[in-house]
Amino acid sequence: MYQWLDYFRNTILIAVFTILISLVTSMLAAYALSFIKFRGRNFVFTLVLLVMMIPGETQLIPNFVIMAKLGLVDTIAAQVLPYGASAFGIFLLRQFFLSLPKDYWEAARVDGCGHLRFLWSIAVPMCRPILFTIALYSFIGCWNSLIWPLMVTQSPKAQPIEVALATFLTSNSADWQGLSAAAIFTTLPVVIVYILLQKHIIRGISRGDGIRF
């Protein structure tokens, strides 16, 4: 029981840190692609769209090589850093930022508001539904992640709950009651979070209407 709590704690830590980092990087990148004019801005956004089309499996070996060279194998950080940027989050937030009237930024600039202040005080409060959507997608991705944690971890001190469930399935294939309890234990938190935030998800996705260049 205590070991399962350790797996549960590891998964929560991975999810929380991944969500926080991905939200920060998504907001900053999306804001730069929306409000800051620089050469190649549309090309950078096209690259973001292309990243969304690349299967995650193709990134496993390069990510593992990088984590190994950094000495982060079998750590929580190795399961957080590769997913600290979300192309999906950048896409959604950029589409929302482009829909904001330019008058907001012009009025804020007249009042002496800089880019970071405008982002934090005006843009972020208006895009909370989208932030909830990105956070939930990151949470579900972290909670259900199996292949990457299985590659990059070897000990229970850093393994998430999905790896524990896969190990339990292999070693206790005949213990159907235990397998059922473990499956419910790993699935129930995701279901609860989705039920609580489903309205925010629908609102967040509906705000990113169409692709703008």
Side-chain angles (χ1 to χ4, degrees):
M1 179 62 184
Y2 290 106
Q3 196 169 28
W4 278 97
L5 292 178
D6 290 337
Y7 291 128
F8 189 83
R9 179 204 62 201
N10 293 339
T11 309
I12 292 294
L13 289 176
I14 294 169
V16 169
F17 285 121
T18 302
I19 289 172
L20 293 177
I21 296 175
S22 64
L23 286 180
V24 171
T25 55
S26 296
M27 285 189 295
L28 293 176
Y31 184 87
L33 292 172
S34 304
F35 285 94
I36 301 177
K37 295 182 179 180
F38 58 90
R39 182 176 298 178
R41 183 175 66 172
N42 291 336
F43 176 73
V44 173
F45 178 63
T46 303
L47 292 180
V48 172
L49 295 180
L50 291 176
V51 169
M52 296 174 61
M53 304 176 189
I54 299 176
E57 290 76 8
T58 61
Q59 306 173 30
L60 293 176
I61 295 178
N63 285 339
F64 182 83
V65 172
I66 294 173
M67 293 300 108
K69 290 185 177 181
L70 293 176
L72 296 177
V73 174
D74 201 26
T75 63
I76 298 293
Q79 301 170 74
V80 174
L81 294 179
Y83 303 100
S86 171
F88 174 73
I90 295 173
F91 169 75
L92 276 185
L93 285 170
R94 177 187 178 274
Q95 300 309 106
F96 172 77
F97 288 153
L98 288 178
S99 69
L100 291 177
K102 298 299 181 182
D103 295 341
Y104 289 173
W105 164 242
E106 295 297 333
R109 188 170 61 175
V110 169
D111 291 337
C113 186
H115 283 293
L116 288 179
R117 181 65 180 275
F118 177 78
L119 173 63
W120 179 254
S121 301
I122 299 176
V124 170
M126 298 180 66
C127 66
R128 285 177 182 172
I130 298 179
L131 296 179
F132 275 112
T133 302
I134 298 171
L136 182 62
Y137 271 81
S138 297
F139 175 78
I140 293 176
C142 293
W143 197 272
N144 294 330
S145 182
L146 174 61
I147 299 178
W148 173 245
L150 201 59
M151 287 181 57
V152 81
T153 60
Q154 292 93 32
S155 61
K157 69 177 183 179
Q159 289 177 336
I161 201 166
E162 283 294 331
V163 174
L165 181 61
T167 305
F168 188 78
L169 178 63
T170 303
S171 59
N172 297 276
S173 57
D175 185 7
W176 297 110
Q177 292 181 346
L179 285 173
S180 299
I184 294 174
F185 183 75
T186 56
T187 306
L188 192 59
V190 178
V191 175
I192 293 174
V193 171
Y194 179 79
I195 292 175
L196 294 176
L197 299 179
Q198 59 180 330
K199 292 183 179 179
H200 296 287
I201 300 171
I202 297 173
R203 289 175 57 194
I205 295 178
S206 64
R207 296 296 289 271
D209 51 343
I211 300 179
R212 298 180 177 88
F213 286 92

